[in-house]
């Protein structure tokens, strides 16, 4: 597998936010989101065998716990990723998979919690989600929308309603996009959409979604990688 980094940190997003988590960040992405803060994953990385990745996870978190597979787009390496996820599940890790849903998700093991990041228009990758993947969603999965403006919010609100997402999955997450040039202050000034404004829209519209902030951006300096 081509791996950018494996590290332990605090899970910053989803309903698992706040929990210790080992992140396995795979190299390569087929999208180019305008606000992407992971461009360093597009190239480079190093080759590792599935067994080596598993062993690195075990050394960072020997007693099980949470592992997130992320990227880049992890499903570009499906052939090796599926066996890795199966091995981690067999070793009693709780496995999260962060994916855009652009690649087919049918082969993801059922016990893996999929966190599907449906791209909104402001990302400039707005049509990338494969609607056939809606059928792969399970009650423990989560769907996330990263929002940079009002148009993104309206897209996410309509998509959530049209596809009855709140009845299909464990959580629908609305999260303000963060500026990829963010540095210094650990506060909401780096959010492309003011969380207060988003909260007011969500309350006004009774949206069945959870407002999420990227917790790690408020714990560590926002430009830091590997946290
Ligand atoms: S899918 Fe993720 S890694 Fe790829 S460009 Fe978009 S934000 Fe960046």
């Amino acid at each position: 597998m081509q791996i950018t980094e494996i590290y332990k940190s605090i899970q910053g997003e989803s309903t698992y936010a706040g929990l210790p988590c080992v992140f396995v960040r795979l190299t390569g992405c087929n999208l180019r989101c305008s606000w992407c803060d992971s461009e360093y994953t597009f190239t480079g990385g190093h080759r590792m065998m599935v067994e080596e990745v598993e062993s690195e996870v075990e050394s960072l978190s020997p007693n099980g716990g949470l592992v997130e597979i992320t990227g880049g787009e992890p499903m570009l390496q499906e052939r090796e990723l599926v066996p890795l996820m199966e091995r981690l599940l067999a070793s009693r890790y709780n496995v999260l998979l962060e994916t855009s849903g652009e690649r087919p998700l049918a082969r993801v093991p059922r016990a893996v919690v999929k966190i599907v990041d449906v791209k909104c228009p402001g990302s400039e990758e707005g049509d990338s989600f494969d609607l056939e993947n809606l059928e792969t969603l399970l009650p423990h999965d989560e769907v996330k929308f990263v929002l940079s403006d009002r148009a993104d919010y309206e897209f996410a609100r309509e998509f959530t309603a049209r596809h009855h997402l709140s009845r299909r999955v464990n959580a629908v997450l609305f999260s303000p996009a963060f500026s990829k040039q963010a540095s210094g202050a650990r506060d909401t000034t780096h959010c492309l959409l003011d969380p207060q404004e988003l909260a007011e829209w969500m309350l006004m519209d009774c949206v069945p979604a959870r407002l999420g902030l990227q917790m790690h951006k408020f714990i560590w300096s926002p430009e830091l990688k590997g946290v």
Side-chain angles (χ1 to χ4, degrees):
M1 313 182 71
Q2 198 69 17
I3 301 289
T4 293
E5 57 187 356
I6 302 175
Y7 61 97
K8 185 158 69 173
S9 185
I10 295 293
Q11 175 60 250
E13 302 182 73
S14 80
T15 63
Y16 296 83
L19 291 173
C21 181
V22 175
F23 292 83
V24 179
R25 190 177 294 282
L26 277 62
T27 307
C29 190
N30 52 346
L31 303 186
R32 291 294 180 267
C33 302
S34 56
W35 36 252
C36 178
D37 63 358
S38 304
E39 292 171 328
Y40 64 103
T41 68
F42 292 169
T43 56
H46 53 280
R47 293 289 306 165
M48 291 178 78
M49 304 291 289
V50 167
E51 296 77 10
E52 292 175 304
V53 176
E54 184 186 19
S55 147
E56 180 75 17
V57 170
E58 282 171 357
S59 73
L60 289 168
S61 184
N63 300 317
L66 199 60
V67 179
E68 176 168 300
I69 311 289
T70 186
E73 173 47 61
M75 290 306 288
L76 295 176
Q77 301 187 54
E78 176 185 331
R79 191 170 55 85
E80 292 161 298
L81 177 58
V82 169
L84 171 65
M85 293 191 289
E86 287 168 344
R87 289 177 75 116
L88 291 171
L89 290 167
S91 299
R92 302 193 179 282
Y93 288 96
N94 292 327
V95 181
L96 312 180
L97 170 68
E98 172 106 12
T99 174
S100 71
E102 190 272 345
R103 300 274 103 189
L105 299 177
R107 288 193 59 225
V108 176
R110 289 180 68 82
V112 169
V113 175
K114 297 187 288 296
I115 300 176
V116 182
D117 183 355
V118 176
K119 302 301 179 187
C120 298
S123 71
E124 298 175 14
E125 292 287 3
D127 290 323
S128 56
F129 177 73
D130 180 353
L131 287 172
E132 289 191 10
N133 280 328
L134 287 172
E135 301 310 314
T136 72
L137 293 176
L138 296 170
H140 65 204
D141 291 334
E142 307 189 3
V143 176
K144 179 173 74 167
F145 298 89
V146 178
L147 312 174
S148 53
D149 56 21
R150 175 77 193 184
D152 281 357
Y153 167 73
E154 290 179 3
F155 168 84
R157 185 190 62 194
E158 298 310 314
F159 192 103
T160 299
R162 187 174 343 117
H163 299 295
H164 310 290
L165 290 186
S166 62
R167 298 209 299 266
R168 283 177 189 254
V169 294
N170 178 38
V172 180
L173 310 157
F174 283 17
S175 181
F178 224 77
S179 165
K180 63 181 179 183
Q181 279 91 32
S183 66
R186 292 172 286 145
D187 59 39
T188 60
T189 55
H190 301 302
C191 291
L192 300 183
L193 173 59
D194 183 350
Q196 181 179 332
E197 201 166 18
L198 175 57
E200 286 165 4
W201 294 342
M202 291 172 71
L203 291 169
M204 175 82 71
D205 293 340
C206 300
V207 175
R210 177 187 295 244
L211 194 157
L213 298 176
Q214 293 178 293
M215 188 185 284
H216 49 293
K217 306 273 194 189
F218 299 91
I219 298 174
W220 288 281
S221 212
E223 72 273 24
L224 285 181
K225 311 298 178 211
V227 294

